[in-house]
Structure formats: C-alpha cells, structure tokens
Amino acid sequence: IVIEWNRIVLLGREAGTAGLGALTPEQRFLELHADDCERLAQSYYEYGRRRDPARILRRFDHGFRCFAVEEERGLIGWFWAVHGVPRYLDELAWQFELDHSLVWGRDAFVAPDRRGCRLFAAMMDTTAAIDCRPKVFISDVSAGNFLSLRAHAALGFRRLATVQSLAIGRRLLWRSRPPACLPAPTGLRVEQRWLWLND
C-alpha cells in the first residue's frame, strides 16, 4: 500500500502588483497556443525538462493558457495559467471552478541564466495587463520547497492557507477543510474516502 502525505501552501498575489519586473527591449511577451505545442515541447527538452507534447496538448485542450517570453535565441521563460476553467488539485482531489477574476499559475520556468531578473514578475504583470478581469494570482507550493516559497514572497505573493492530505492506497484520503479564501471546491471524489479490504 502506498502512503502519501502532502502539505501545500496556497499563495495569492494581487494582479495589480506592478513595478516588480519589466521586460528588456530584446525580450518579447507572447501567448502560446495549441499549434505551438511542438515548439514548447522542444524548449522543455532543451532546458532538461521532460519533453511530452501529448501532455502539453492536453493542457491546451482543457483551456489552460501558456504565456512566455522569447529572445532571439528562443523561449527563455513561460508559465501556465488556469483562467476561467476548473483547476484540479490532485493531492487533495479538489476541483476549483475559477471565474475570470482568478488566475492559477502553474509550472513557471525561467532559463537559469535569466533567473534573478524578475522575469516571472514581468510575465505576470504583462498577463494582467492583457485582460483587465484578473484580480488575483493563485499558486500552490509544497510546504517543503523553501526556495520556491522564498521566490514567491519576492514576487509579492502572500500565504493564504496551508492544506494537508494523507492518502493510503487509492481509496482512503484524509484532507484539510477547504480554505475559505478560495471558491468552494467541487469534485470531492467521495468514493475515495472508503477503505476497501480484501478477504
């Protein structure tokens, strides 16, 4: 039986928190689409990340948006945004229905030689300027990932809540109560809360 314990920090940042980062004249902000799937997968590979075009395409199919920055050499940073579509938090089996006032950021990446230049902050500020509806950026980070938590704090994120889950096998799941600072989750997968034993 596999036992998995998760402790996740939920963070938020007001969308109007501008001035923390800016693109240089050599950098161009763009939104990638499903027909950019191969290019994005190749960029993942070039930076030593898993090249999985099918997974990338599934994200686009589920309404995820991908924002990126490129220079002459190619893509140097990107992040996924769940905006106006459901965000499923696997570790707690929660599905959040996000309206257009919330953007849940996922899988942000910045090229190693561009880190420390506030490129991610510039991407978020530019994303918020494209569509005036977003009010808050949301992110989730493992409570043990101190580097990511420190980076989020430097970008203006503040802690909203810490939630935990304990999964035993595939059928038994204990978890925190949903935080009041986020929309009430749906898709709670009640069937996973039972312990099934064989003879």
Side-chain angles (χ1 to χ4, degrees):
I1 293 178
V2 176
I3 299 174
E4 182 180 350
W5 179 61
N6 293 287
R7 191 162 182 261
I8 299 168
V9 179
L10 301 172
L11 304 130
R13 175 186 188 261
E14 297 298 316
T17 311
L20 291 178
L23 299 179
T24 67
E26 299 79 29
Q27 296 171 340
R28 189 168 75 91
F29 179 84
L30 64 156
E31 181 173 357
L32 301 175
H33 301 282
D35 55 356
D36 297 305
C37 181
E38 187 58 40
R39 178 186 184 196
L40 188 53
Q42 184 61 31
S43 294
Y44 271 62
Y45 178 75
E46 289 169 3
Y47 287 110
R49 297 163 66 92
R50 189 174 77 166
R51 186 185 187 283
D52 191 345
R55 181 171 183 256
I56 292 171
L57 192 57
R58 278 195 305 275
R59 286 189 167 186
F60 283 120
D61 289 343
H62 285 103
F64 286 35
R65 298 172 73 181
C66 186
F67 298 100
V69 172
E70 69 175 353
E71 293 179 351
E72 186 176 342
R73 74 186 198 191
L75 298 179
I76 59 165
W78 59 82
F79 78 100
W80 291 90
V82 185
H83 179 54
V85 295
R87 161 69 166 112
Y88 189 73
L89 197 58
D90 299 285
E91 296 88 350
L92 289 104
W94 284 342
Q95 179 170 289
F96 294 98
E97 301 293 334
L98 303 179
D99 62 22
H100 286 283
S101 68
L102 297 173
V103 176
W104 201 306
R106 300 280 320 273
D107 300 336
F109 175 81
V110 174
D113 63 330
R114 293 293 184 268
R115 291 174 188 165
C117 301
R118 299 199 173 275
L119 187 63
F120 183 48
M123 284 193 286
M124 284 193 300
D125 292 340
T126 307
T127 300
I130 288 174
D131 185 342
C132 295
R133 290 177 294 182
K135 299 290 186 264
V136 177
F137 284 96
I138 305 292
S139 185
D140 58 279
V141 177
S142 170
N145 190 342
F146 302 113
L147 289 176
S148 183
L149 289 170
R150 191 164 59 232
H152 276 77
L155 293 171
F157 280 89
R158 61 181 179 83
R159 288 180 183 240
L160 300 176
T162 300
V163 293
Q164 302 178 74
S165 68
L166 175 65
I168 300 178
R170 296 177 55 131
R171 305 293 292 186
L172 189 62
L173 176 65
W174 285 279
R175 59 192 160 199
S176 304
R177 290 186 183 275
C181 57
L182 293 176
T186 61
L188 295 179
R189 290 194 180 183
V190 175
E191 73 277 3
Q192 285 192 324
R193 300 178 69 185
W194 298 93
L195 177 63
W196 292 79
L197 301 175
N198 60 21
D199 295 338

